[in-house]
Amino acid sequence: MKEDLDKLVQTLVQMHPRLINGWTNDEQSVIDTAYANIKQSKTLGEFYFIADTIVMLLHDGHTTLYPLPEVNILDLPLFWSREGLLVKDRRGAFQPGDRITAIGGRSVKDLEEDLQQLIPAENENWVRTQAASLLRSEWFLQHLRLVTEGTVLINATRAGHQISESIPLSSDSGQKEYNPYPAHSAAFTFEIKPEQSLGIFQINDCVYSQDYKSMVKRFFDEVYTQGISNIAVDLRNNGGGDSRVVEEFLAYTDVKSYRSFGGEVRFSTQVKQQFPDFPDDGTGRNEPAPVQNIRLTDHSFNGSVYVLTSPRTFSSANWFALIIQDNKLGQIIGEASGNQPSAYGNVIGFQLPASGIGFQVSFQKFTRPDPSRDPATAVIPDIEAYTTAKDIIDRRDAQMEKLYEVIVQKQTGGSSS
């Protein structure tokens, strides 16, 4: 365990932009406590959360330990909305839209305070969307002491009535679960809706590939051919990837130029191993600056642009939404994102030598295109549309419905908020 903590602390100190001047006294005290806690033997799960106390010091959603392997899960599909922690699908006594009030005898409000100290994040949106999955993992539930003899007691309310049932942990059945943000299985896809004069391009993973480039071209060719006047980019299920996807997309619009992100990169031997052209020490900095849009078509799109976001919108997907919002190229519809607008990113993955726990570390701090809008904890939608318990029950896509409403009101001369 000492070998692992040494590796973790050394890597963070050498790589993370926040640690150029090392740890504060309070942070060093947390690290000292972690070392003190490994003087007795620990299970893998216990050690995981000792190491996590160090990672949590950076408050960086990109710098994190990878989850432990799943053995058993709590077969209760969950979704964390503004209204609380909701059930997504029928399981035992529970129905879609039920609001969870307690897990393992502890109130959800009480648990959320613990979750804020366990999940690396920059805002509560990311904590909640990650918790909706982690609160189903046996190793995570065991740490919170929510498991009793292989079962988890769940308390919920439905229309003022109390529901209670103990659910046994079991292996993952592989059963498909409802997604309040409907998504195709592909990394990216599109559909054209002529009746709304709307093209929807869904990006679930920011993969900058030849396939992506080809699909973007096909999309805009269809938009032009069918005379579509509105396009929407659906980023609600997108946890990031390669930020160049937004450059490729904007190359088919009539935008002349736009401001991109600035930032500070920290160089190290670890970074140089991944990027041989980089130095192995020091820092580099650039301010947000205009980028010339290199158009890739003779029929550039000049209609309305919308971007759909959710708490799952993170990293390069967050970047995509910010390029649109900060440059006033379109409107964001949906829910606040899981990332701060100016945040750490660009990660390299590692593995702790003894436990085998994987982790990743940021080596860059990005500054949003319009720094005057900071500080901000998330990309806040221009037009809010939050999924509710009723939406879960009715299987209604709240963000897409709001998009349709906005387009209709635009076409009829109305307004939306």
Side-chain angles (χ1 to χ4, degrees), residues 12 140 165-167 169 205 213 268 291 294 307 320 325 347 360 378 399 405:
L12 292 172
F140 199 83
E165 185 174 56
S166 290
I167 299 180
L169 296 172
D205 191 3
K213 295 179 190 179
S268 63
V291 173
I294 303 174
V307 177
F320 196 126
Q325 188 179 64
V347 300
Q360 64 183 34
Q399 296 77 43
E405 177 188 320

mmCIF file of all heavy atoms in Angstrom, residues 12 140 165-167 169 205 213 268 291 294 307 320 325 347 360 378 399 405:
data_model
loop_
_atom_site.group_PDB
_atom_site.id
_atom_site.type_symbol
_atom_site.label_atom_id
_atom_site.label_comp_id
_atom_site.label_asym_id
_atom_site.label_seq_id
_atom_site.Cartn_x
_atom_site.Cartn_y
_atom_site.Cartn_z
ATOM 1 N N LEU A 12 0.963 12.764 -8.992
ATOM 2 C CA LEU A 12 0.173 13.986 -8.874
ATOM 3 C C LEU A 12 1.066 15.216 -8.759
ATOM 4 O O LEU A 12 0.848 16.229 -9.440
ATOM 5 C CB LEU A 12 -0.753 13.891 -7.655
ATOM 6 C CG LEU A 12 -1.894 12.863 -7.726
ATOM 7 C CD1 LEU A 12 -2.586 12.753 -6.375
ATOM 8 C CD2 LEU A 12 -2.896 13.246 -8.797
ATOM 9 N N PHE A 140 -18.894 -0.091 -3.570
ATOM 10 C CA PHE A 140 -19.195 1.264 -3.132
ATOM 11 C C PHE A 140 -20.229 1.239 -2.003
ATOM 12 O O PHE A 140 -20.092 1.943 -0.991
ATOM 13 C CB PHE A 140 -19.720 2.080 -4.323
ATOM 14 C CG PHE A 140 -19.647 3.564 -4.125
ATOM 15 C CD1 PHE A 140 -18.475 4.269 -4.372
ATOM 16 C CD2 PHE A 140 -20.747 4.276 -3.688
ATOM 17 C CE1 PHE A 140 -18.404 5.645 -4.198
ATOM 18 C CE2 PHE A 140 -20.692 5.649 -3.509
ATOM 19 C CZ PHE A 140 -19.515 6.334 -3.759
ATOM 20 N N GLU A 165 -38.481 -1.995 0.680
ATOM 21 C CA GLU A 165 -38.164 -3.370 0.300
ATOM 22 C C GLU A 165 -36.657 -3.573 0.338
ATOM 23 O O GLU A 165 -35.893 -2.672 -0.019
ATOM 24 C CB GLU A 165 -38.683 -3.678 -1.104
ATOM 25 C CG GLU A 165 -38.480 -5.137 -1.509
ATOM 26 C CD GLU A 165 -39.136 -5.459 -2.847
ATOM 27 O OE1 GLU A 165 -38.828 -4.783 -3.848
ATOM 28 O OE2 GLU A 165 -39.959 -6.384 -2.883
ATOM 29 N N SER A 166 -36.234 -4.747 0.770
ATOM 30 C CA SER A 166 -34.818 -5.111 0.735
ATOM 31 C C SER A 166 -34.536 -5.809 -0.589
ATOM 32 O O SER A 166 -35.204 -6.787 -0.937
ATOM 33 C CB SER A 166 -34.473 -6.031 1.905
ATOM 34 O OG SER A 166 -34.520 -5.310 3.120
ATOM 35 N N ILE A 167 -33.543 -5.305 -1.313
ATOM 36 C CA ILE A 167 -33.206 -5.850 -2.622
ATOM 37 C C ILE A 167 -31.880 -6.583 -2.517
ATOM 38 O O ILE A 167 -30.877 -6.006 -2.076
ATOM 39 C CB ILE A 167 -33.121 -4.742 -3.678
ATOM 40 C CG1 ILE A 167 -34.477 -4.038 -3.815
ATOM 41 C CG2 ILE A 167 -32.667 -5.298 -5.025
ATOM 42 C CD1 ILE A 167 -34.493 -2.930 -4.835
ATOM 43 N N LEU A 169 -28.308 -8.122 -3.562
ATOM 44 C CA LEU A 169 -27.284 -7.859 -4.566
ATOM 45 C C LEU A 169 -27.150 -9.091 -5.454
ATOM 46 O O LEU A 169 -27.242 -10.227 -4.986
ATOM 47 C CB LEU A 169 -25.947 -7.549 -3.886
ATOM 48 C CG LEU A 169 -25.915 -6.268 -3.035
ATOM 49 C CD1 LEU A 169 -24.612 -6.189 -2.264
ATOM 50 C CD2 LEU A 169 -26.099 -5.035 -3.894
ATOM 51 N N ASP A 205 -19.818 10.140 -27.959
ATOM 52 C CA ASP A 205 -18.397 10.003 -27.641
ATOM 53 C C ASP A 205 -17.640 10.877 -28.636
ATOM 54 O O ASP A 205 -17.840 10.763 -29.849
ATOM 55 C CB ASP A 205 -17.971 8.537 -27.785
ATOM 56 C CG ASP A 205 -16.588 8.264 -27.215
ATOM 57 O OD1 ASP A 205 -15.990 9.204 -26.651
ATOM 58 O OD2 ASP A 205 -16.111 7.125 -27.351
ATOM 59 N N LYS A 213 -15.778 12.415 -39.509
ATOM 60 C CA LYS A 213 -15.720 13.452 -40.543
ATOM 61 C C LYS A 213 -16.719 13.159 -41.660
ATOM 62 O O LYS A 213 -17.418 14.060 -42.142
ATOM 63 C CB LYS A 213 -14.307 13.545 -41.114
ATOM 64 C CG LYS A 213 -13.246 13.995 -40.127
ATOM 65 C CD LYS A 213 -11.905 14.026 -40.836
ATOM 66 C CE LYS A 213 -10.760 14.221 -39.879
ATOM 67 N NZ LYS A 213 -9.449 14.225 -40.563
ATOM 68 N N SER A 268 6.048 17.347 -18.051
ATOM 69 C CA SER A 268 6.688 16.417 -17.124
ATOM 70 C C SER A 268 7.218 15.233 -17.920
ATOM 71 O O SER A 268 6.941 15.097 -19.127
ATOM 72 C CB SER A 268 5.670 15.926 -16.085
ATOM 73 O OG SER A 268 4.627 15.200 -16.719
ATOM 74 N N VAL A 291 -10.095 31.890 -33.550
ATOM 75 C CA VAL A 291 -9.679 30.819 -34.454
ATOM 76 C C VAL A 291 -10.402 31.023 -35.780
ATOM 77 O O VAL A 291 -11.627 31.206 -35.799
ATOM 78 C CB VAL A 291 -10.032 29.431 -33.884
ATOM 79 C CG1 VAL A 291 -9.755 28.331 -34.904
ATOM 80 C CG2 VAL A 291 -9.274 29.173 -32.596
ATOM 81 N N ILE A 294 -12.099 27.266 -40.922
ATOM 82 C CA ILE A 294 -11.744 26.800 -42.262
ATOM 83 C C ILE A 294 -12.910 25.986 -42.799
ATOM 84 O O ILE A 294 -13.124 24.834 -42.413
ATOM 85 C CB ILE A 294 -10.454 25.961 -42.233
ATOM 86 C CG1 ILE A 294 -9.315 26.792 -41.630
ATOM 87 C CG2 ILE A 294 -10.095 25.465 -43.629
ATOM 88 C CD1 ILE A 294 -8.028 26.023 -41.419
ATOM 89 N N VAL A 307 -27.789 23.205 -28.832
ATOM 90 C CA VAL A 307 -27.011 22.125 -28.224
ATOM 91 C C VAL A 307 -27.777 21.630 -27.002
ATOM 92 O O VAL A 307 -28.193 22.426 -26.159
ATOM 93 C CB VAL A 307 -25.600 22.591 -27.814
ATOM 94 C CG1 VAL A 307 -24.854 21.462 -27.109
ATOM 95 C CG2 VAL A 307 -24.816 23.058 -29.027
ATOM 96 N N PHE A 320 -17.432 21.610 -26.330
ATOM 97 C CA PHE A 320 -18.276 21.839 -27.508
ATOM 98 C C PHE A 320 -19.389 22.835 -27.170
ATOM 99 O O PHE A 320 -19.602 23.829 -27.880
ATOM 100 C CB PHE A 320 -18.880 20.495 -27.959
ATOM 101 C CG PHE A 320 -19.452 20.476 -29.351
ATOM 102 C CD1 PHE A 320 -19.030 19.518 -30.268
ATOM 103 C CD2 PHE A 320 -20.422 21.382 -29.758
ATOM 104 C CE1 PHE A 320 -19.536 19.474 -31.559
ATOM 105 C CE2 PHE A 320 -20.947 21.354 -31.037
ATOM 106 C CZ PHE A 320 -20.514 20.391 -31.942
ATOM 107 N N GLN A 325 -21.813 28.460 -26.833
ATOM 108 C CA GLN A 325 -22.423 29.458 -25.952
ATOM 109 C C GLN A 325 -21.591 30.728 -25.811
ATOM 110 O O GLN A 325 -22.110 31.840 -25.950
ATOM 111 C CB GLN A 325 -22.683 28.851 -24.572
ATOM 112 C CG GLN A 325 -23.499 29.762 -23.662
ATOM 113 C CD GLN A 325 -23.756 29.140 -22.309
ATOM 114 O OE1 GLN A 325 -22.822 28.894 -21.556
ATOM 115 N NE2 GLN A 325 -25.013 28.895 -21.977
ATOM 116 N N VAL A 347 -5.779 14.155 -19.900
ATOM 117 C CA VAL A 347 -5.347 13.213 -18.869
ATOM 118 C C VAL A 347 -4.427 12.129 -19.430
ATOM 119 O O VAL A 347 -4.441 11.832 -20.626
ATOM 120 C CB VAL A 347 -6.557 12.531 -18.192
ATOM 121 C CG1 VAL A 347 -7.457 13.567 -17.543
ATOM 122 C CG2 VAL A 347 -7.345 11.688 -19.192
ATOM 123 N N GLN A 360 -6.127 8.293 -13.357
ATOM 124 C CA GLN A 360 -5.712 9.243 -14.383
ATOM 125 C C GLN A 360 -5.483 10.610 -13.765
ATOM 126 O O GLN A 360 -6.074 10.942 -12.735
ATOM 127 C CB GLN A 360 -6.754 9.335 -15.503
ATOM 128 C CG GLN A 360 -8.096 9.880 -15.070
ATOM 129 C CD GLN A 360 -9.119 9.883 -16.192
ATOM 130 O OE1 GLN A 360 -9.133 9.001 -17.054
ATOM 131 N NE2 GLN A 360 -9.999 10.886 -16.196
ATOM 132 N N ALA A 378 -20.763 25.391 -13.943
ATOM 133 C CA ALA A 378 -21.235 24.501 -15.009
ATOM 134 C C ALA A 378 -21.624 25.332 -16.219
ATOM 135 O O ALA A 378 -21.713 26.570 -16.141
ATOM 136 C CB ALA A 378 -22.445 23.698 -14.528
ATOM 137 N N GLN A 399 -35.891 17.326 -22.809
ATOM 138 C CA GLN A 399 -35.047 18.262 -23.550
ATOM 139 C C GLN A 399 -35.436 18.320 -25.028
ATOM 140 O O GLN A 399 -35.480 19.401 -25.628
ATOM 141 C CB GLN A 399 -33.561 17.879 -23.419
ATOM 142 C CG GLN A 399 -33.022 17.979 -22.007
ATOM 143 C CD GLN A 399 -33.438 16.817 -21.131
ATOM 144 O OE1 GLN A 399 -33.411 15.668 -21.562
ATOM 145 N NE2 GLN A 399 -33.827 17.087 -19.890
ATOM 146 N N GLU A 405 -40.490 22.691 -29.019
ATOM 147 C CA GLU A 405 -41.282 23.863 -28.612
ATOM 148 C C GLU A 405 -40.603 25.156 -29.042
ATOM 149 O O GLU A 405 -41.252 26.087 -29.551
ATOM 150 C CB GLU A 405 -41.459 23.836 -27.094
ATOM 151 C CG GLU A 405 -42.202 25.021 -26.514
ATOM 152 C CD GLU A 405 -42.180 25.025 -24.994
ATOM 153 O OE1 GLU A 405 -42.314 23.940 -24.386
ATOM 154 O OE2 GLU A 405 -42.003 26.122 -24.425
#
